[in-house]
């Protein structure tokens, strides 16, 4: 009965997707790598507490767009971003915005699991430490435990918190990276193909985790797997050759897309 | 079912025979290449073995020093005839101690004190350093005057060489440094046990001396130590800071490219050029003292910097970019990313580069020649500003000496230098092991 209720509520939420407020608004976002233009005036809004999937063939600009959302593109030489992206009411490319603070609000999980070659505990506690989120040992313990619980890793690692994070399996490492991102209490979590280096079982676990995280976080995920996009997301955006082709409710995208290119890509006719 | 399918496929493959691509030749080429590699390594090892065995076989005797242990009569008549020592402190300093030692040895050998030629030959068996040795005994404890004490005296360098069998005794007596008489006495003393080889502590502790039996690398060692400390303290922080800036912070443009090219070229500049630079800048312009370990250290720092910068940049480049992305993605600042994550991972490479640079600096001679460190320094340098020499320079100076006993001491000093280099490299390996992390 309970299950039924939850499912029903979820469905209702999905159907009312269009009324969910925007967390991030991208307006006319263009990205240039030197002379080469990688994104063409993308207008894409990210809804709060929603999983938004970015799909499209390789080199279409979906990862580039993802990285503009927490200004990771800043670290690439001669990369230039134009247009406007806001997080709540703040223009994140405003010169007064502190990029360090922005990245604390917009966390990121990468394609390849990249734990620091330190202990599991240090991996998770690093973010809170540099952002001053905890002061005492007990507070750190608390954050580490809750983050690992949120990432569904607590039961597997609680007895070996001081062993190196690099000693975990690939799937566990990726969940450790998610725990690390969660530990700084971000508002948005960006995931760049988080499951592409994982086996199906680990992938299933991470997908389940994404599903759970949605209640507290806004999630943007880049994926190459149509099935994954269909499974985890409520909204899907399709990119092609640096343009945003279509953005819609996931159900609609996979059943009755507005754009022919989306239809072709989802059916596997190109990409 | 699958059998049915695979059978025609197999026949189809057999029907189109493969083109001959020279499998045999490929294997032969690989075998040949391996043989070349093995030959190269064998050749290298052979020369290493030749080098080490030549140095060790020539130099191991330097760690043994011939001493003559005899009872020495500190007669008042020879040291302080007029009993002036209470009023004139110079008296004990200037007394004729070599005569005291010579008389003691003559008495043991039973030589007539009036036979002046024989007495001179007896005196020639002892090192001139007996003067300071006996003086120190007497000055430290004037009550020994009038008593007889057993003392181990250094044998003369030529007697030392003769005792070690390094002097060809078949050469006519007039053409060699030790006379038949002295050889006879030497054998007589050796039989009685008075003359024997002892471990040569002097080679480690003494300063420069024109007498091989009293010469040591002590001063040179302290000078090298000062220089290594200066090089380490200056070049490690400067080099690492420069590399971090260039690698992690500096924009990639023409100017930084130019700097990079220049650093790589500086690593290949002949070291004597650095010596000239040091002479012009540190001594002539800055007015620092000549022969000082400070100037040597500064010159060697300039020489070591490119090595350290190149090694550090390579180590920083080798840190996976995913670690930087992870830290930046968490909201770490650029500096936190570098100091919390990148630098610790690059540490093994940085330390290896630094120690290789230091080892290079330790063995460097040419620039030190130009800043006046080729000097006869007998006194231990009290500070890096005091005159001193360096280990390789000491080796260079001893190699220029004529005495047979200096030949073995040159090799002995090379052994000491090599041991230090091996220890430093061992330290590099241990540090690398300690800091190495896997990811």
């Amino acid at each position: 009965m309970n299950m039924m209720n939850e499912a029903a509520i979820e469905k209702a939420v999905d159907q009312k997707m269009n009324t969910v407020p925007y967390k991030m608004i991208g307006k006319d976002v263009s990205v240039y790598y030197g002379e080469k233009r990688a994104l063409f005036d993308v207008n894409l809004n990210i809804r709060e507490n929603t999983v938004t999937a970015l799909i499209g063939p390789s080199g279409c600009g979906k990862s580039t767009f993802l990285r503009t959302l927490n200004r990771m593109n800043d670290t690439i030489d001669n990369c230039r971003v134009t247009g406007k992206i806001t997080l709540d009411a703040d223009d994140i490319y405003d010169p007064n915005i502190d990029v360090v603070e922005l990245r604390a609000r917009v966390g990121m999980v990468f394609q390849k699991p990249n734990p620091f070659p330190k202990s599991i505990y240090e991996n998770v506690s690093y973010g809170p430490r540099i952002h001053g989120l905890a002061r005492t040992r007990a507070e750190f313990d608390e954050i580490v435990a809750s983050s690992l619980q949120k990432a569904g890793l607590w039961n597997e690692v609680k007895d070996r918190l001081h062993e190196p994070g690099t000693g975990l399996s690939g799937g566990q490492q990726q969940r450790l990276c998610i725990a690390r991102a969660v530990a700084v209490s971000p508002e948005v979590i960006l995931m760049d193909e988080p499951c592409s280096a994982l086996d199906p079982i680990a992938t299933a676990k991470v997908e389940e985790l994404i599903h759970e995280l949605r209640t507290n976080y806004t999630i943007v995920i880049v994926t190459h797997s149509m099935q994954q996009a269909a499974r985890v997301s409520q909204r899907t955006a399709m990119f092609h050759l640096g343009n945003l082709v279509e953005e819609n409710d996931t159900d609609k995208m996979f059943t009755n897309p507005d754009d022919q290119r989306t239809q072709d890509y989802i059916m596997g006719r190109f990409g | 079912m699958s059998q049915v399918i695979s059978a025609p496929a197999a026949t189809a493959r057999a029907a189109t025979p493969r083109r001959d691509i020279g499998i045999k030749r490929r294997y032969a080429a690989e075998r040949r290449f391996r043989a070349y590699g093995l030959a190269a390594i064998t050749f290298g090892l052979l020369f290493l073995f030749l080098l080490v065995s030549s140095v060790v076989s020539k130099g191991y005797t330097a760690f043994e020093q011939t001493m003559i242990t005899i009872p020495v009569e500190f007669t008042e008549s020879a040291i302080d005839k007029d009993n002036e020592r209470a009023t004139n402190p110079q008296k004990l300093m200037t007394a004729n101690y070599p005569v005291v030692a010579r008389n003691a040895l003559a008495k043991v050998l039973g030589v007539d004190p009036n036979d002046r030629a024989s007495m001179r030959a007896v005196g020639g068996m002892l090192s001139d350093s007996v003067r300071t040795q006996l003086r120190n005994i007497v000055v430290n404890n004037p009550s020994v005057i009038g008593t007889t004490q057993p003392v181990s005296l250094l044998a003369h360098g030529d007697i030392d060489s003769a005792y070690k069998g390094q002097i060809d005794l078949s050469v006519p007596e007039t053409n060699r440094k030790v006379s038949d008489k002295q050889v006879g006495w030497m054998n007589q003393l050796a039989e009685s046990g008075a003359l024997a080889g002892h471990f040569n502590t002097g080679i480690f502790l003494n300063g420069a001396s024109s007498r091989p039996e009293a010469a040591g690398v002590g001063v040179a060692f302290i000078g090298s130590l000062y220089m290594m400390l200066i090089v380490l303290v200056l070049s490690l922080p400067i080099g690492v800071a420069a590399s971090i800036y260039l690698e992690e912070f500096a924009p990639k443009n023409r100017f930084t490219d130019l700097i990079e090219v220049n650093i790589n070229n500086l690593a290949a500049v002949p070291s004597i050029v650095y010596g000239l630079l040091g002479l012009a800048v540190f001594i002539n312009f800055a007015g620092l003292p000549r022969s000082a370990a400070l100037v040597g250290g500064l010159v060697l720092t300039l020489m070591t910097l490119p090595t350290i910068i190149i090694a550090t940049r390579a180590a920083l480049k080798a840190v996976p970019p995913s670690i930087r992305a992870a830290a930046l993605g968490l909201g770490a600042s650029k500096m936190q990313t570098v100091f919390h994550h990148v630098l610790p991972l690059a540490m093994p490479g940085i330390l290896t580069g630094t120690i290789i640079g230091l080892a290079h600096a330790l063995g460097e001679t040419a620039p030190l020649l130009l800043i006046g460190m080729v000097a006869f320094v007998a006194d231990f340098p009290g500070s890096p500003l005091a005159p001193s020499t360096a280990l390789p320079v000491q080796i260079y100076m001893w190699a220029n000496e004529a005495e047979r006993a200096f030949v073995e001491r040159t090799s002995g000093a090379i052994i000491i230098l090599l041991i230090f280099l091996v220890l430093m490299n061992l330290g590099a390996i241990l540090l690398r092991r300690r800091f190495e992390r896997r990811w």
Side-chain angles (χ1 to χ4, degrees), chain A residues 140-179:
Chain A
F140 276 115
D141 288 349
E142 166 78 34
I143 290 181
V144 169
S146 71
S147 305
L148 285 170
Q149 274 158 1
K150 281 180 199 157
L153 196 60
W154 176 248
N155 288 331
E156 291 160 65
V157 301
K158 64 181 175 201
D159 299 324
R160 44 176 178 148
L161 287 177
H162 295 284
E163 284 173 31
T166 42
L168 299 172
S169 74
Q172 288 173 325
Q173 285 189 15
Q174 194 61 300
R175 278 181 285 149
L176 176 61
C177 292
I178 293 173

Side-chain angles (χ1 to χ4, degrees), chain B residues 15-73:
Chain B
T16 51
R18 270 210 280 184
R19 190 165 54 86
D20 176 25
I21 49 169
I23 292 274
K24 263 191 186 156
R25 256 191 299 136
R26 277 207 299 214
Y27 280 124
E30 187 174 327
R31 269 197 302 275
R32 238 177 4 250
F33 186 75
R34 282 182 192 207
Y36 293 152
L38 207 62
I41 286 179
T42 317
F43 207 61
L45 283 180
L46 185 74
F47 273 96
L48 181 68
F49 175 75
L50 276 179
L51 171 80
V52 171
S53 62
S54 133
V55 168
V56 169
S57 67
K58 273 190 202 153
Y60 77 97
T61 48
F63 298 101
E64 196 184 71
Q65 170 64 45
T66 312
M67 311 269 263
I68 302 173
T69 310
I70 47 170
V72 176
E73 257 182 273

Side-chain angles (χ1 to χ4, degrees), chain A residues 75 100 103 114 117-118 126 131, chain B residues 322 326 328 330-331 340-341 437:
Chain A
T75 61
V100 165
R103 288 185 191 141
N114 56 354
K118 299 184 176 182
Y126 181 70
H131 291 297
Chain B
S322 65
L328 290 174
L330 271 178
H340 294 168
H341 300 288
R437 294 190 215 210

Side-chain angles (χ1 to χ4, degrees), chain A:
Chain A
M1 188 63 197
N2 215 349
M3 291 275 285
M4 281 278 281
N5 256 347
E6 260 178 37
I9 290 165
E10 217 161 74
K11 191 147 199 209
V13 168
D14 283 354
Q15 276 167 356
K16 275 190 260 160
M17 215 59 238
N18 287 326
T19 65
V20 174
Y22 293 135
K23 182 72 186 172
M24 298 189 85
I25 296 170
K27 194 167 180 338
D28 296 331
V29 179
S30 293
V31 177
Y32 302 82
Y33 294 116
E35 292 301 300
K36 194 175 160 283
R37 193 172 181 182
L39 274 187
F40 297 86
D41 299 324
V42 171
N43 289 293
L44 178 60
N45 303 333
I46 310 295
R47 288 161 203 267
E48 195 159 24
N49 291 3
T50 302
V51 179
T52 306
L54 309 183
I55 61 169
S58 293
C60 67
K62 56 194 186 308
S63 285
T64 299
F65 180 75
L66 188 79
R67 293 165 67 91
T68 60
L69 296 179
N70 72 343
R71 293 181 55 177
M72 280 302 276
N73 280 334
D74 288 11
T75 61
I76 300 168
D77 279 330
N78 70 43
C79 174
R80 197 158 52 84
V81 180
T82 63
K84 188 176 177 183
I85 300 175
T86 56
L87 171 63
D88 292 335
D90 306 324
D91 179 355
I92 65 169
Y93 281 89
D94 189 285
N96 295 326
I97 279 280
D98 182 13
V99 84
V100 165
E101 205 181 312
L102 169 70
R103 288 185 191 141
R105 290 174 69 189
V106 184
M108 188 153 189
V109 175
F110 296 86
Q111 181 172 3
K112 220 180 114 215
N114 56 354
F116 299 129
K118 299 184 176 182
S119 74
I120 293 169
Y121 186 93
E122 283 175 275
N123 260 287
V124 181
S125 66
Y126 181 70
R129 192 151 55 83
I130 58 172
H131 291 297
L133 299 183
R135 200 161 293 163
T136 62
R137 178 85 197 181
E139 285 172 0
F140 276 115
D141 288 349
E142 166 78 34
I143 290 181
V144 169
S146 71
S147 305
L148 285 170
Q149 274 158 1
K150 281 180 199 157
L153 196 60
W154 176 248
N155 288 331
E156 291 160 65
V157 301
K158 64 181 175 201
D159 299 324
R160 44 176 178 148
L161 287 177
H162 295 284
E163 284 173 31
T166 42
L168 299 172
S169 74
Q172 288 173 325
Q173 285 189 15
Q174 194 61 300
R175 278 181 285 149
L176 176 61
C177 292
I178 293 173
R180 186 174 65 184
V182 165
V184 290
S185 317
E187 297 157 37
V188 182
I189 300 177
L190 310 176
M191 298 188 175
D192 192 354
E193 297 179 45
C195 300
S196 65
L198 306 184
D199 69 29
I201 295 167
T203 302
K205 280 193 178 156
V206 171
E207 284 179 8
E208 201 180 314
L209 177 59
I210 292 169
H211 200 72
E212 284 164 15
L213 290 174
R214 177 164 78 93
T215 47
N216 294 315
Y217 307 96
T218 303
I219 294 173
V220 185
I221 177 171
V222 164
T223 178
H224 273 294
S225 157
M226 295 307 118
Q227 292 86 344
Q228 186 171 60
R231 279 195 301 263
V232 301
S233 72
Q234 289 78 51
R235 296 285 292 185
T236 299
M238 157 83 191
F239 283 77
H240 183 48
L241 300 176
N243 291 296
L244 177 65
V245 172
E246 184 180 356
E247 194 245 345
N248 232 322
D249 280 358
T250 301
D251 289 348
K252 179 157 168 38
M253 282 289 268
F254 283 90
T255 50
N256 183 23
D258 291 336
D259 196 290
Q260 184 58 38
R261 284 174 292 176
T262 313
Q263 176 85 22
D264 290 349
Y265 181 65
I266 288 166
M267 302 300 283
R269 286 194 200 118
F270 76 84

